[in-house]
Amino acid sequence: MKALSGSIIVLAASILILGGSYIPHGDTRLFLQIIGLMVCAMGMWGWSVSLKEK
């Protein structure tokens, strides 16, 4: 079940990164993409940890 949670977090982060690219304001776009990148990194870490436990 933890692997599913990790994959949902990675999906949410990719939506943040993609959605941030459509915002016309440069600073807001960059902020959303950086937040998405950090969330994606945490999700990938959690996903890999949960897969190693099995």
PDB file of all heavy atoms in Angstrom, residues 21-42:
ATOM      1  N   SER A  21       4.028  24.979 -16.017  1.00  0.00           N
ATOM      2  CA  SER A  21       4.570  25.434 -17.294  1.00  0.00           C
ATOM      3  C   SER A  21       3.554  26.239 -18.097  1.00  0.00           C
ATOM      4  O   SER A  21       3.922  26.935 -19.030  1.00  0.00           O
ATOM      5  CB  SER A  21       5.061  24.249 -18.113  1.00  0.00           C
ATOM      6  OG  SER A  21       3.976  23.410 -18.459  1.00  0.00           O
ATOM      7  N   TYR A  22       2.272  26.174 -17.735  1.00  0.00           N
ATOM      8  CA  TYR A  22       1.244  26.915 -18.455  1.00  0.00           C
ATOM      9  C   TYR A  22       0.896  28.254 -17.820  1.00  0.00           C
ATOM     10  O   TYR A  22       0.081  28.993 -18.348  1.00  0.00           O
ATOM     11  CB  TYR A  22      -0.035  26.073 -18.569  1.00  0.00           C
ATOM     12  CG  TYR A  22       0.109  24.942 -19.552  1.00  0.00           C
ATOM     13  CD1 TYR A  22       0.215  23.633 -19.110  1.00  0.00           C
ATOM     14  CD2 TYR A  22       0.156  25.189 -20.913  1.00  0.00           C
ATOM     15  CE1 TYR A  22       0.356  22.591 -20.013  1.00  0.00           C
ATOM     16  CE2 TYR A  22       0.297  24.159 -21.824  1.00  0.00           C
ATOM     17  CZ  TYR A  22       0.391  22.864 -21.363  1.00  0.00           C
ATOM     18  OH  TYR A  22       0.545  21.845 -22.253  1.00  0.00           O
ATOM     19  N   ILE A  23       1.499  28.572 -16.686  1.00  0.00           N
ATOM     20  CA  ILE A  23       1.224  29.841 -16.009  1.00  0.00           C
ATOM     21  C   ILE A  23       2.090  30.926 -16.645  1.00  0.00           C
ATOM     22  O   ILE A  23       3.307  30.761 -16.776  1.00  0.00           O
ATOM     23  CB  ILE A  23       1.492  29.718 -14.497  1.00  0.00           C
ATOM     24  CG1 ILE A  23       0.479  28.738 -13.903  1.00  0.00           C
ATOM     25  CG2 ILE A  23       1.429  31.063 -13.806  1.00  0.00           C
ATOM     26  CD1 ILE A  23       0.637  28.503 -12.443  1.00  0.00           C
ATOM     27  N   PRO A  24       1.467  32.042 -17.036  1.00  0.00           N
ATOM     28  CA  PRO A  24       2.223  33.071 -17.750  1.00  0.00           C
ATOM     29  C   PRO A  24       3.237  33.838 -16.892  1.00  0.00           C
ATOM     30  O   PRO A  24       4.222  34.332 -17.410  1.00  0.00           O
ATOM     31  CB  PRO A  24       1.143  34.014 -18.289  1.00  0.00           C
ATOM     32  CG  PRO A  24      -0.055  33.771 -17.464  1.00  0.00           C
ATOM     33  CD  PRO A  24       0.040  32.362 -16.959  1.00  0.00           C
ATOM     34  N   HIS A  25       3.017  33.948 -15.602  1.00  0.00           N
ATOM     35  CA  HIS A  25       3.922  34.711 -14.741  1.00  0.00           C
ATOM     36  C   HIS A  25       5.160  33.884 -14.443  1.00  0.00           C
ATOM     37  O   HIS A  25       5.069  32.765 -13.942  1.00  0.00           O
ATOM     38  CB  HIS A  25       3.191  35.102 -13.451  1.00  0.00           C
ATOM     39  CG  HIS A  25       3.942  36.098 -12.646  1.00  0.00           C
ATOM     40  ND1 HIS A  25       4.704  35.740 -11.569  1.00  0.00           N
ATOM     41  CD2 HIS A  25       4.060  37.436 -12.765  1.00  0.00           C
ATOM     42  CE1 HIS A  25       5.266  36.824 -11.048  1.00  0.00           C
ATOM     43  NE2 HIS A  25       4.879  37.865 -11.752  1.00  0.00           N
ATOM     44  N   GLY A  26       6.332  34.400 -14.728  1.00  0.00           N
ATOM     45  CA  GLY A  26       7.588  33.658 -14.632  1.00  0.00           C
ATOM     46  C   GLY A  26       7.944  33.181 -13.239  1.00  0.00           C
ATOM     47  O   GLY A  26       8.375  32.050 -13.050  1.00  0.00           O
ATOM     48  N   ASP A  27       7.785  34.064 -12.235  1.00  0.00           N
ATOM     49  CA  ASP A  27       8.157  33.682 -10.870  1.00  0.00           C
ATOM     50  C   ASP A  27       7.232  32.604 -10.315  1.00  0.00           C
ATOM     51  O   ASP A  27       7.685  31.674  -9.652  1.00  0.00           O
ATOM     52  CB  ASP A  27       8.140  34.899  -9.950  1.00  0.00           C
ATOM     53  CG  ASP A  27       9.258  35.876 -10.276  1.00  0.00           C
ATOM     54  OD1 ASP A  27      10.253  35.443 -10.897  1.00  0.00           O
ATOM     55  OD2 ASP A  27       9.128  37.058  -9.922  1.00  0.00           O
ATOM     56  N   THR A  28       5.948  32.727 -10.600  1.00  0.00           N
ATOM     57  CA  THR A  28       4.992  31.723 -10.123  1.00  0.00           C
ATOM     58  C   THR A  28       5.235  30.390 -10.810  1.00  0.00           C
ATOM     59  O   THR A  28       5.165  29.334 -10.178  1.00  0.00           O
ATOM     60  CB  THR A  28       3.547  32.192 -10.389  1.00  0.00           C
ATOM     61  OG1 THR A  28       3.380  33.488  -9.823  1.00  0.00           O
ATOM     62  CG2 THR A  28       2.547  31.248  -9.784  1.00  0.00           C
ATOM     63  N   ARG A  29       5.540  30.426 -12.101  1.00  0.00           N
ATOM     64  CA  ARG A  29       5.836  29.205 -12.854  1.00  0.00           C
ATOM     65  C   ARG A  29       7.044  28.510 -12.261  1.00  0.00           C
ATOM     66  O   ARG A  29       7.028  27.303 -12.018  1.00  0.00           O
ATOM     67  CB  ARG A  29       6.060  29.554 -14.319  1.00  0.00           C
ATOM     68  CG  ARG A  29       6.464  28.376 -15.166  1.00  0.00           C
ATOM     69  CD  ARG A  29       6.625  28.724 -16.629  1.00  0.00           C
ATOM     70  NE  ARG A  29       7.389  29.947 -16.822  1.00  0.00           N
ATOM     71  CZ  ARG A  29       7.057  30.886 -17.706  1.00  0.00           C
ATOM     72  NH1 ARG A  29       5.989  30.756 -18.440  1.00  0.00           N
ATOM     73  NH2 ARG A  29       7.798  31.965 -17.842  1.00  0.00           N
ATOM     74  N   LEU A  30       8.095  29.260 -11.995  1.00  0.00           N
ATOM     75  CA  LEU A  30       9.308  28.684 -11.430  1.00  0.00           C
ATOM     76  C   LEU A  30       9.056  28.118 -10.035  1.00  0.00           C
ATOM     77  O   LEU A  30       9.531  27.029  -9.700  1.00  0.00           O
ATOM     78  CB  LEU A  30      10.409  29.734 -11.369  1.00  0.00           C
ATOM     79  CG  LEU A  30      11.753  29.281 -10.826  1.00  0.00           C
ATOM     80  CD1 LEU A  30      12.347  28.210 -11.736  1.00  0.00           C
ATOM     81  CD2 LEU A  30      12.697  30.452 -10.696  1.00  0.00           C
ATOM     82  N   PHE A  31       8.281  28.836  -9.219  1.00  0.00           N
ATOM     83  CA  PHE A  31       7.964  28.370  -7.870  1.00  0.00           C
ATOM     84  C   PHE A  31       7.217  27.038  -7.915  1.00  0.00           C
ATOM     85  O   PHE A  31       7.566  26.102  -7.194  1.00  0.00           O
ATOM     86  CB  PHE A  31       7.135  29.431  -7.132  1.00  0.00           C
ATOM     87  CG  PHE A  31       6.673  28.991  -5.782  1.00  0.00           C
ATOM     88  CD1 PHE A  31       7.566  28.936  -4.729  1.00  0.00           C
ATOM     89  CD2 PHE A  31       5.354  28.634  -5.565  1.00  0.00           C
ATOM     90  CE1 PHE A  31       7.153  28.533  -3.472  1.00  0.00           C
ATOM     91  CE2 PHE A  31       4.931  28.223  -4.317  1.00  0.00           C
ATOM     92  CZ  PHE A  31       5.829  28.183  -3.267  1.00  0.00           C
ATOM     93  N   LEU A  32       6.189  26.937  -8.759  1.00  0.00           N
ATOM     94  CA  LEU A  32       5.431  25.699  -8.851  1.00  0.00           C
ATOM     95  C   LEU A  32       6.287  24.543  -9.356  1.00  0.00           C
ATOM     96  O   LEU A  32       6.157  23.417  -8.892  1.00  0.00           O
ATOM     97  CB  LEU A  32       4.217  25.883  -9.766  1.00  0.00           C
ATOM     98  CG  LEU A  32       3.015  26.562  -9.158  1.00  0.00           C
ATOM     99  CD1 LEU A  32       1.921  26.707 -10.195  1.00  0.00           C
ATOM    100  CD2 LEU A  32       2.505  25.805  -7.964  1.00  0.00           C
ATOM    101  N   GLN A  33       7.171  24.822 -10.297  1.00  0.00           N
ATOM    102  CA  GLN A  33       8.018  23.757 -10.811  1.00  0.00           C
ATOM    103  C   GLN A  33       9.041  23.294  -9.777  1.00  0.00           C
ATOM    104  O   GLN A  33       9.340  22.104  -9.690  1.00  0.00           O
ATOM    105  CB  GLN A  33       8.694  24.204 -12.100  1.00  0.00           C
ATOM    106  CG  GLN A  33       7.709  24.307 -13.242  1.00  0.00           C
ATOM    107  CD  GLN A  33       8.321  24.836 -14.507  1.00  0.00           C
ATOM    108  OE1 GLN A  33       9.386  25.435 -14.495  1.00  0.00           O
ATOM    109  NE2 GLN A  33       7.641  24.616 -15.617  1.00  0.00           N
ATOM    110  N   ILE A  34       9.563  24.198  -8.982  1.00  0.00           N
ATOM    111  CA  ILE A  34      10.513  23.812  -7.934  1.00  0.00           C
ATOM    112  C   ILE A  34       9.802  23.004  -6.851  1.00  0.00           C
ATOM    113  O   ILE A  34      10.320  21.979  -6.397  1.00  0.00           O
ATOM    114  CB  ILE A  34      11.209  25.055  -7.342  1.00  0.00           C
ATOM    115  CG1 ILE A  34      12.195  25.621  -8.362  1.00  0.00           C
ATOM    116  CG2 ILE A  34      11.928  24.726  -6.047  1.00  0.00           C
ATOM    117  CD1 ILE A  34      12.807  26.938  -7.969  1.00  0.00           C
ATOM    118  N   ILE A  35       8.603  23.442  -6.442  1.00  0.00           N
ATOM    119  CA  ILE A  35       7.827  22.686  -5.454  1.00  0.00           C
ATOM    120  C   ILE A  35       7.493  21.304  -6.005  1.00  0.00           C
ATOM    121  O   ILE A  35       7.604  20.294  -5.301  1.00  0.00           O
ATOM    122  CB  ILE A  35       6.550  23.450  -5.052  1.00  0.00           C
ATOM    123  CG1 ILE A  35       6.905  24.744  -4.339  1.00  0.00           C
ATOM    124  CG2 ILE A  35       5.635  22.588  -4.199  1.00  0.00           C
ATOM    125  CD1 ILE A  35       7.653  24.550  -3.038  1.00  0.00           C
ATOM    126  N   GLY A  36       7.091  21.234  -7.264  1.00  0.00           N
ATOM    127  CA  GLY A  36       6.793  19.944  -7.895  1.00  0.00           C
ATOM    128  C   GLY A  36       8.000  19.036  -7.934  1.00  0.00           C
ATOM    129  O   GLY A  36       7.892  17.827  -7.709  1.00  0.00           O
ATOM    130  N   LEU A  37       9.166  19.594  -8.189  1.00  0.00           N
ATOM    131  CA  LEU A  37      10.394  18.799  -8.222  1.00  0.00           C
ATOM    132  C   LEU A  37      10.727  18.245  -6.841  1.00  0.00           C
ATOM    133  O   LEU A  37      11.097  17.074  -6.707  1.00  0.00           O
ATOM    134  CB  LEU A  37      11.548  19.649  -8.743  1.00  0.00           C
ATOM    135  CG  LEU A  37      12.885  18.950  -8.903  1.00  0.00           C
ATOM    136  CD1 LEU A  37      12.787  17.868  -9.965  1.00  0.00           C
ATOM    137  CD2 LEU A  37      13.956  19.937  -9.253  1.00  0.00           C
ATOM    138  N   MET A  38      10.553  19.059  -5.799  1.00  0.00           N
ATOM    139  CA  MET A  38      10.830  18.584  -4.441  1.00  0.00           C
ATOM    140  C   MET A  38       9.834  17.503  -4.015  1.00  0.00           C
ATOM    141  O   MET A  38      10.226  16.498  -3.414  1.00  0.00           O
ATOM    142  CB  MET A  38      10.819  19.754  -3.454  1.00  0.00           C
ATOM    143  CG  MET A  38      12.001  20.670  -3.602  1.00  0.00           C
ATOM    144  SD  MET A  38      12.149  21.899  -2.306  1.00  0.00           S
ATOM    145  CE  MET A  38      10.680  22.866  -2.530  1.00  0.00           C
ATOM    146  N   VAL A  39       8.563  17.705  -4.335  1.00  0.00           N
ATOM    147  CA  VAL A  39       7.550  16.705  -3.992  1.00  0.00           C
ATOM    148  C   VAL A  39       7.815  15.411  -4.747  1.00  0.00           C
ATOM    149  O   VAL A  39       7.686  14.308  -4.201  1.00  0.00           O
ATOM    150  CB  VAL A  39       6.135  17.254  -4.282  1.00  0.00           C
ATOM    151  CG1 VAL A  39       5.089  16.175  -4.173  1.00  0.00           C
ATOM    152  CG2 VAL A  39       5.811  18.397  -3.343  1.00  0.00           C
ATOM    153  N   CYS A  40       8.219  15.530  -6.005  1.00  0.00           N
ATOM    154  CA  CYS A  40       8.531  14.342  -6.799  1.00  0.00           C
ATOM    155  C   CYS A  40       9.725  13.584  -6.220  1.00  0.00           C
ATOM    156  O   CYS A  40       9.707  12.353  -6.155  1.00  0.00           O
ATOM    157  CB  CYS A  40       8.802  14.746  -8.239  1.00  0.00           C
ATOM    158  SG  CYS A  40       9.041  13.365  -9.357  1.00  0.00           S
ATOM    159  N   ALA A  41      10.740  14.307  -5.785  1.00  0.00           N
ATOM    160  CA  ALA A  41      11.907  13.651  -5.199  1.00  0.00           C
ATOM    161  C   ALA A  41      11.534  12.907  -3.915  1.00  0.00           C
ATOM    162  O   ALA A  41      11.970  11.766  -3.706  1.00  0.00           O
ATOM    163  CB  ALA A  41      12.991  14.688  -4.909  1.00  0.00           C
ATOM    164  N   MET A  42      10.698  13.525  -3.080  1.00  0.00           N
ATOM    165  CA  MET A  42      10.265  12.847  -1.854  1.00  0.00           C
ATOM    166  C   MET A  42       9.402  11.631  -2.180  1.00  0.00           C
ATOM    167  O   MET A  42       9.520  10.588  -1.542  1.00  0.00           O
ATOM    168  CB  MET A  42       9.491  13.811  -0.958  1.00  0.00           C
ATOM    169  CG  MET A  42      10.349  14.871  -0.330  1.00  0.00           C
ATOM    170  SD  MET A  42       9.518  15.893   0.904  1.00  0.00           S
ATOM    171  CE  MET A  42       8.077  16.454   0.039  1.00  0.00           C
TER     172      MET A  42
END
